[in-house]
Amino acid sequence: MSIGGVRLTKVSAWHYVRLVYRSVLLIVVLIAYIRFRFSNGVPLIIGIENMPVVIYVVWGIYTVEMIARFFPSSFESPGCQKQFARNYIKTGNTRIVVHDNNATMLVALIWIVFNGIFGALHMMGILDDGIMIVLCSVYSVCDMICILFFCPFQSWFLKNKCCSACRIYNWDYAMMFTPLFFVSKTYTWSLLLLSVALLIRWEITFYRHPERFSEQTNAYLKCSNCSEKLCTHKKQLHSLWKQIEESAAERARRLEN
């Protein structure tokens, strides 16, 4: 599979599939929020509950995605698959190095404070449940943007070489569903609890088997063994974007002349 002449691995292709349907879901949620809130005067949460099939489908998709993360899969990124014993390939080196481990608490603190602001506004009645659901949908799209194009956590805090070496890869669903803490519904809290269980399982594995998370001790994380090839993919996209910019600039110069 390729996009714009850029060849994709099956793992990267799956990322794009998720980017597409999450983007569509975000658009639908935004339209629904505007329609219910400003046209009908009905809160989004009530409008959604009047269409239970929507809840079943969306809840089902994310539940299946998260449950799948508990098991090894060839369709998932090495970033989340390194936790499994079958993906631990000994290098012969016993020195465990996880360069970005100290930054994880800073990321967690920033995320809690950031979402705490939205939570406070929600508890004050300024934001409703619908906004919290919209925020979750925005986070879900941003999650895929971080994987495919640019990740601020990687660039500004963790400084890891790529997603495969990311210390907090399996925090994504817990971060995505953080706003649901303030929406007291069975279907929202069940998603949040499952995402937290995924995070806890990840952290327990990290502290019990840190050797699986270090490139020095786990050859699975080396570029030569990567099944995702996102680094190559990103470089190709950047090169393609540069060519488009140069072409546009050249056309602009021709028009000026």
Side-chain angles (χ1 to χ4, degrees), residues 80-96:
C80 67
Q81 293 294 296
K82 59 177 175 278
Q83 63 178 311
F84 298 111
R86 81 170 193 179
N87 294 325
Y88 175 48
I89 305 173
K90 293 183 180 180
T91 62
N93 190 346
T94 58
R95 182 170 176 267
I96 300 172

Side-chain angles (χ1 to χ4, degrees), residues 51-112:
M51 298 181 291
V53 65
V54 174
I55 296 176
Y56 297 149
V57 170
V58 175
W59 184 89
I61 289 174
Y62 283 118
T63 298
V64 169
E65 282 189 14
M66 286 190 283
I67 290 176
R69 281 280 184 90
F70 283 95
F71 306 97
S73 171
S74 61
F75 280 92
E76 281 288 1
S77 166
C80 67
Q81 293 294 296
K82 59 177 175 278
Q83 63 178 311
F84 298 111
R86 81 170 193 179
N87 294 325
Y88 175 48
I89 305 173
K90 293 183 180 180
T91 62
N93 190 346
T94 58
R95 182 170 176 267
I96 300 172
V97 179
V98 182
H99 297 287
D100 51 23
N101 191 41
N102 291 332
T104 56
M105 292 302 101
L106 177 60
V107 171
L109 179 62
I110 291 173
W111 192 255
I112 291 172

Side-chain angles (χ1 to χ4, degrees), residues 13-251:
W14 173 233
H15 291 328
Y16 269 102
V17 170
R18 287 194 289 185
L19 174 63
V20 170
Y21 73 68
R22 289 184 183 186
S23 298
V24 170
L25 179 60
L26 172 58
I27 293 171
V28 171
V29 168
L30 283 172
I31 293 174
Y33 182 83
I34 294 171
R35 175 189 172 191
F36 288 121
R37 182 67 170 157
F38 298 106
S39 297
N40 301 341
V42 177
L44 175 63
I45 198 77
I46 295 178
I48 291 176
E49 289 179 347
N50 288 333
M51 298 181 291
V53 65
V54 174
I55 296 176
Y56 297 149
V57 170
V58 175
W59 184 89
I61 289 174
Y62 283 118
T63 298
V64 169
E65 282 189 14
M66 286 190 283
I67 290 176
R69 281 280 184 90
F70 283 95
F71 306 97
S73 171
S74 61
F75 280 92
E76 281 288 1
S77 166
C80 67
Q81 293 294 296
K82 59 177 175 278
Q83 63 178 311
F84 298 111
R86 81 170 193 179
N87 294 325
Y88 175 48
I89 305 173
K90 293 183 180 180
T91 62
N93 190 346
T94 58
R95 182 170 176 267
I96 300 172
V97 179
V98 182
H99 297 287
D100 51 23
N101 191 41
N102 291 332
T104 56
M105 292 302 101
L106 177 60
V107 171
L109 179 62
I110 291 173
W111 192 255
I112 291 172
V113 171
F114 179 72
N115 284 276
I117 295 172
F118 290 105
L121 293 173
H122 179 271
M123 288 186 289
M124 293 167 60
I126 298 174
L127 302 180
D128 61 9
D129 289 347
I131 287 294
M132 308 310 279
I133 292 175
V134 169
L135 189 59
C136 284
S137 193
V138 171
Y139 287 167
S140 71
V141 174
C142 289
D143 176 46
M144 302 317 303
I145 291 175
C146 285
I147 293 174
L148 290 168
F149 307 112
F150 172 75
C151 178
F153 300 111
Q154 175 188 359
S155 300
W156 301 339
F157 300 102
L158 303 175
K159 308 295 183 180
N160 48 280
K161 68 167 187 174
C162 63
C163 290
S164 295
C166 182
R167 166 68 178 82
I168 63 171
Y169 196 105
N170 255 27
W171 288 20
D172 55 347
Y173 285 103
M175 297 174 81
M176 185 192 313
F177 294 131
T178 301
L180 296 184
F181 176 80
F182 304 98
V183 183
S184 302
K185 300 289 182 179
T186 302
Y187 53 88
T188 56
W189 277 18
S190 60
L191 288 176
L192 179 61
L193 289 174
L194 185 56
S195 68
V196 171
L198 194 62
L199 184 152
I200 292 173
R201 189 269 179 84
W202 172 267
E203 290 300 307
I204 290 174
T205 304
F206 174 78
Y207 286 105
R208 292 185 62 188
H209 302 285
E211 68 279 0
R212 299 178 188 176
F213 293 74
S214 173
E215 187 180 359
Q216 279 68 30
T217 52
N218 189 2
Y220 177 74
L221 300 179
K222 293 186 178 296
C223 297
S224 57
N225 293 321
C226 182
S227 60
E228 194 171 30
K229 304 300 181 185
L230 268 182
C231 290
T232 302
H233 168 60
K234 287 179 179 178
K235 289 177 182 177
Q236 290 174 322
L237 283 178
H238 292 162
S239 177
L240 178 62
W241 182 249
K242 185 176 181 180
Q243 292 175 13
I244 292 173
E245 287 182 331
E246 291 175 349
S247 177
E250 180 62 28
R251 284 197 300 270

